Amino acid sequence: MSDKKKQSVLIVESDDLILKSLSTRFKKQGMFVITAKDGFEGYNRACKESPDFIILEALLSSMSGFRISRLLKFDERYKDIKIIIITTNDLDSVDDMYKSSGADQILRKPFRFKELMEAITEKVVA
């Protein structure tokens, strides 16, 4: 067994097929996967589990991915968790919400899993 801690990812996605697909792909990468299907559950899981990475769908029931990101990024306990927002919207139309959310990156659906992995593993340069 490796002495390195297994990295964890929280996926908050309302579409069952996308949630299952991403879960399977991240597990194949050797990551511990946590899932949620709506915004409120996703926010609670993020606070309880403190994952290394969070993938948030922008449009969720009960609380948007942008709102969850903002709540987490402006909380000292969770501000260092890397957050990627995924959306079906045109990126220009959600640019203001994305910027105010504090999320690390936004990707437009459909995306390649490779793009998502690159977004997660990319180092943030200050």
Side-chain angles (χ1 to χ4, degrees), residues 27-123:
K27 285 176 183 172
K28 285 181 180 176
Q29 296 294 317
M31 298 180 83
F32 178 71
V33 176
I34 306 157
T35 61
K37 291 189 52 120
D38 71 58
F40 184 73
E41 179 189 6
Y43 177 71
N44 285 330
R45 297 292 305 263
C47 293
K48 182 181 173 192
E49 309 277 346
S50 284
D52 297 299
F53 310 104
I54 301 175
I55 311 300
L56 294 170
E57 179 182 7
L59 302 174
L60 294 162
S61 62
S62 72
M63 191 185 305
S64 76
F66 296 111
R67 176 125 175 90
I68 296 168
S69 178
R70 184 163 176 79
L71 289 169
L72 294 171
K73 284 296 191 174
F74 293 91
D75 185 321
E76 282 296 315
R77 297 169 293 178
Y78 312 112
K79 67 180 177 69
D80 293 328
I81 297 173
K82 189 155 197 176
I83 297 177
I84 312 296
I85 292 178
I86 54 177
T87 184
T88 55
N89 292 330
D90 178 64
L91 296 183
D92 290 335
S93 70
V94 294
D95 193 55
D96 289 340
M97 288 186 290
Y98 163 62
K99 287 177 179 170
S100 67
S101 74
D104 296 287
Q105 195 159 347
I106 189 167
L107 294 175
R108 188 164 192 279
K109 294 178 183 178
F111 53 82
R112 295 183 187 271
F113 186 74
K114 181 181 175 188
E115 291 175 276
L116 189 54
M117 283 305 295
E118 287 171 356
I120 283 177
T121 57
E122 186 177 87
K123 299 285 186 228

